[in-house]
Amino acid sequence: MDQGSAAGPHRARGRLGAPSCGARAPGAPWARFSAWLECVCVVTFDLELGQALELVYPSDFQLTDKEKSSICYLSFPDSHSGCLGDTQFSFRIRQCGGQRRPWHTDDRHCDSGAPVSLQREPAHYFGYVYFRQVKDSSVKRGYFQKALLSLVAPEYFDKLAPCLEAVCDEIDQWPAPVPGQTLNLPVMGVILQVHIPSRADKPESGPPKQCSHENLLPAPVVLTSVHELDLFRCFRPVLAHVQLLWELMLLGEPLLVLAPSPAVSSEMVLALTSCLQPLKFCCDYRPYFTVHDSEFKEFTTRTQAPPSVVLGVTNPFFIKTLQHWPHVLRIGEPKMPGDLPKQVKLKKPSRLKTLDTKPGLYTAYMTYLHRDKALLRRLLKGLQKKRPSDVQTAVLRRHLLELTQSFLSPLEHYMASLMPLQKSITPWKTPPQIHPFHQDDFLRSLEHSGPQLTCLLKGDRLGLYRWADSRRFFKSPHFDGWYRQRHKEMAQKLEALHLEAICEANIEIWMKDKSEVEVVDLVLKLRERLVRAQGHQLPVKEATLKRARLYIETVIGSLPKDLQVVLCPP
């Protein structure tokens, strides 16, 4: 799904081409299809009924009425967007009714190998839209409008449902997406070469180049996953404010993005949410949002503080409705690729009074880090010299990566200090607990392990943490997501070290004075850890696993025959 576009949902996966949330059993029909897509929807506009869901494929995919309504409205550009012709954009909706299908072991393996910032989101769907609006005299309104999977859209408009069915059958033959692999996927007479991002990939590395050693006919079309945006193109009008926007995203501040079209809106929102990598963006975000959305009232209420969400919209009505929001970014019409970008100006929120508000970044926020003027000069010089956009994007992405890593470095350093010492782990005792995270202790540690050691930018670096603390950053979804992930990894490491300690001990000496109950308990615990380790849940060496299996055999062999039969039935 992430390698193409669709007019319908798939399970939100953090913008990674990893499998969906176990839609079907491995041997069931469409099992392979559901590893890539949830479904494909065809949405049309009926003069009497309005937006209508014309087709869902596979037909057995279940959507709630609320989800169907959201898909129908979000598959069409707002009336304020002059989208004549073909337009592609994306949206994100909250899943209704909770998780409705089990998550299979293969899916869990695949997700665990994906970068943390790109792992699945079981509570949301992503929709990728290919919208076509062309003049048609046979239609009273004068336009023909539909939305569907962009890869097959041109063929579908000619051949309709049989074409869609044939493509879905092809997708159902694809192998499962495995992080770290580059796959050649046949569809409609072409081969898509797709690289699935992995946790082992370097964050700053770009998308893979076409594999020249493979003699494939026809030649493969190299596709990257959705998270690998052309950041430079997306951020062209706001290059002067990239660091300010980075700080707003880091702190989980609410931001309204008003763009001239759903395509610009969705790309800008996805660019903003990806600028924190390798930190996972854990706040809510909507690449394209309309007044018809079921959560419109929730996001526009004035009875409480604005939620931590990035909203992408095209209707100027939101300027009036969300005047109380602290940060609003209005983007003008996109310029020609070779033109020097006209930077939006920084303006105070009080200027947001009319629906015809000019392009600008409306905020009273003052950055803690000074603007990197050298970076801006380098990017503008690259434009003058017509440097390729992917090179410009690499420069910008590396800058954002260094900002995020510099911010995370003190957190990682402090978190590492909470790990119990390895010498405190003994074979036959419960592993020690990870020490609790104390905010005051962390803030005191900044004096000798703060970002000033890794970040070359000038500014009040320590103030960023203190301001973040005062604004409850440590209660934010970003920090909570980072802390939970790191705590989970550390707990798994502790368990792995404990298993290694057991396997290095003399099991026969330990068994001499133990009761049968204690020995059986050891067998059950070792088996449980073997299952976890083999499921890629524990970072354990293969040699340790072999020794653990040998220990289990040795321990069972020391028990009476009746217990051996119970533990190892024939």
Side-chain angles (χ1 to χ4, degrees), residues 78-111:
D78 189 276
S79 58
H80 294 271
S81 308
C83 296
L84 182 61
D86 292 351
T87 303
Q88 297 182 51
F89 57 95
S90 61
F91 61 81
R92 180 175 180 263
I93 61 173
R94 189 176 296 167
Q95 183 188 345
C96 303
Q99 185 176 325
R100 290 170 295 210
R101 282 180 290 276
W103 195 23
H104 295 293
T105 303
D106 290 344
D107 299 335
R108 200 172 281 117
H109 290 179
C110 190
D111 199 57

Side-chain angles (χ1 to χ4, degrees), residues 306-418:
S308 294
V309 61
V310 183
L311 282 188
V313 303
T314 58
N315 192 334
F317 171 75
F318 281 97
I319 290 289
K320 181 178 180 180
T321 308
L322 301 180
Q323 280 188 29
H324 62 294
W325 276 36
H327 320 288
V328 175
L329 172 61
R330 178 156 195 178
I331 309 169
E333 293 290 339
K335 302 296 181 181
M336 295 298 291
D339 294 344
L340 288 175
K342 184 178 181 181
Q343 300 296 290
V344 300
K345 295 182 179 180
L346 200 61
K347 303 180 180 182
K348 294 183 178 180
S350 58
R351 301 285 297 277
L352 282 172
K353 293 182 179 179
T354 61
L355 296 183
D356 59 348
T357 300
K358 295 180 180 179
L361 177 55
Y362 295 80
T363 178
Y365 179 80
M366 301 297 291
T367 59
Y368 281 84
L369 297 180
H370 295 173
R371 183 188 302 173
D372 191 337
K373 296 180 180 179
L375 171 73
L376 187 58
R377 286 195 299 268
R378 184 179 178 187
L379 293 173
L380 294 178
K381 189 175 181 180
L383 269 179
Q384 294 173 332
K385 292 187 173 182
K386 298 183 178 180
R387 185 185 296 152
S389 186
D390 60 340
V391 177
Q392 296 277 78
T393 288
V395 171
L396 186 54
R397 190 177 290 281
R398 177 178 288 276
H399 173 74
L400 293 169
L401 177 67
E402 290 174 351
L403 283 178
T404 304
Q405 289 178 330
S406 177
F407 181 84
L408 289 178
S409 179
L411 287 164
E412 294 283 358
H413 186 272
Y414 176 75
M415 193 70 185
S417 71
L418 305 180

Side-chain angles (χ1 to χ4, degrees), residues 67 95 204 217 256 281 304 328 396 443 477 480 485 564:
E67 289 165 348
Q95 183 188 345
E204 67 271 14
L217 292 175
L256 176 69
F281 191 89
Q304 57 190 29
V328 175
L396 186 54
L443 291 172
D480 184 65
Q485 180 64 30
Q564 291 185 32

